[in-house]
Amino acid sequence: ANLAMSEGMPGLSQDQMGDARRCQSDAYGYTAYACGVCVNPATITVGADNNIWSASLNSTTDIFNITTHGTVHTFGAPGTHVDDMTLGPDGKVWVSTAGGSGGVIASISTAGKLSKYALANGGYGYNITVGSDGNLWYSDRVNSLVGMVTTSGSFGKTISIANNGWTVSTPDPMTSGRDGNLWLVRGAIDGVTKITLAGGVSIIPLQAGARPSGVATGPDSNLWITEFAQNTIARVTPGGTVTEWTGSAIGINSSASPIGITTGPDGNIWFAETGSNSIGKFVL
């Protein structure tokens, strides 16, 4: 059913924060940008405007975007805690939220127009991506499932992922791979799970203690993963081969604690450094 809650403008404040400060750059192609609203950024995606979109990991959860040259635009909060975001096939940025009496799936246009859709059964929307079927797919940890929602806000098929290393206590971001499957990182078991739209589930292990916290499909068709606890960036091929680079090996801030990750319009990998209040870039 379509469960639209509200629709309106969340307080667009374009150019209010001005330019982000380029605070670090090195020979490995890594650059960090710090800005006033980059307070514990935890999710990241690319919008239809070719800007990098993110949200702060706090109770107000301001949504903001940043150009590849560092100019920042701020938007208001959707009213609940934003856990993940992705660009939808309709050109809007879609977010999954948790908090209060239940979570919502919401969309925001580049002009700042916001629409929200309540999850059923007190669900919390932790992760969201576009599936190979052209719909949005989200994970709901309260109800131990992944589910589908159309761009009009109608909820559809759900796939249970209970009893597959699922836990309510650890973030488990998700992306759609170029193999047509959904890929979900599993912080509690240090692994990444492949979910077919037909409902098949399989798990690929990562290094012990990784606590994977973000996943994105790269322009090279591989999966790129942030490993929060090890300060590491990992690459996983569709066939399951894993390569991991420590932060010290490629020059990432020792306090970065990376979470959100995405492919930028420049073809490189961008990620949110929650621990160092920065946005990082890794050149492929």
Side-chain angles (χ1 to χ4, degrees):
N2 186 313
L3 300 175
M5 295 172 58
S6 63
E7 187 169 334
M9 302 294 288
L12 172 64
S13 180
Q14 210 164 20
D15 294 322
Q16 179 178 336
M17 304 309 297
D19 290 341
R21 179 169 56 91
R22 180 171 174 163
C23 60
Q24 184 174 344
S25 183
D26 66 20
Y28 293 94
Y30 163 73
T31 304
Y33 296 93
C35 61
V37 293
C38 299
V39 180
N40 301 132
T43 182
I44 191 169
T45 194
V46 178
D49 53 3
N50 282 333
N51 293 323
I52 309 298
W53 287 67
S54 187
S56 299
L57 187 62
N58 56 37
S59 59
T60 57
T61 317
D62 281 333
I63 295 174
F64 64 92
N65 64 34
I66 179 172
T67 71
T68 54
H69 299 291
T71 299
V72 178
H73 304 158
T74 62
F75 302 78
T80 53
H81 180 90
V82 172
D83 277 277
D84 197 17
M85 57 174 53
T86 191
L87 174 62
D90 55 356
K92 298 177 181 177
V93 171
W94 285 75
V95 302
S96 54
T97 76
S101 59
V104 302
I105 302 300
S107 65
I108 181 171
S109 70
T110 54
K113 187 176 182 179
L114 179 72
S115 299
K116 299 190 288 185
Y117 310 96
L119 291 171
N121 302 317
Y124 274 16
Y126 279 86
N127 318 111
I128 191 165
T129 189
V130 179
S132 57
D133 57 357
N135 294 310
L136 283 303
W137 285 79
Y138 63 92
S139 64
D140 177 348
R141 286 191 307 194
V142 170
N143 295 300
S144 298
L145 59 81
V146 295
M148 181 268 283
V149 60
T150 68
T151 54
S152 62
S154 295
F155 291 91
K157 180 178 181 177
T158 61
I159 298 172
S160 173
I161 49 176
N163 304 318
N164 283 286
W166 182 260
T167 175
V168 174
S169 62
T170 307
D172 296 289
M174 179 171 62
T175 191
S176 182
R178 295 193 179 181
D179 57 358
N181 299 312
L182 300 174
W183 291 81
L184 182 75
V185 294
R186 314 302 290 274
I189 61 172
D190 295 327
V192 56
T193 297
K194 179 173 72 174
I195 304 170
T196 70
L197 298 191
V201 179
S202 58
I203 300 175
I204 297 169
L206 300 172
Q207 66 175 315
R211 193 182 168 188
S213 298
V215 60
T217 300
D220 54 0
S221 297
N222 295 313
L223 300 170
W224 287 83
I225 295 169
T226 52
E227 297 182 349
F228 177 87
Q230 297 293 337
N231 215 42
T232 300
I233 303 297
R235 182 187 65 201
V236 179
T237 69
T241 301
V242 179
T243 305
E244 292 159 314
W245 292 273
T246 63
S248 59
I250 58 176
I252 297 175
N253 285 322
S254 60
S255 61
S257 300
I259 296 183
I261 189 167
T262 192
T263 298
D266 53 1
N268 296 309
I269 301 299
W270 290 72
F271 48 93
E273 298 182 10
T274 303
S276 59
N277 296 329
S278 301
I279 301 296
K281 178 177 70 174
F282 183 78
V283 177
L284 294 183

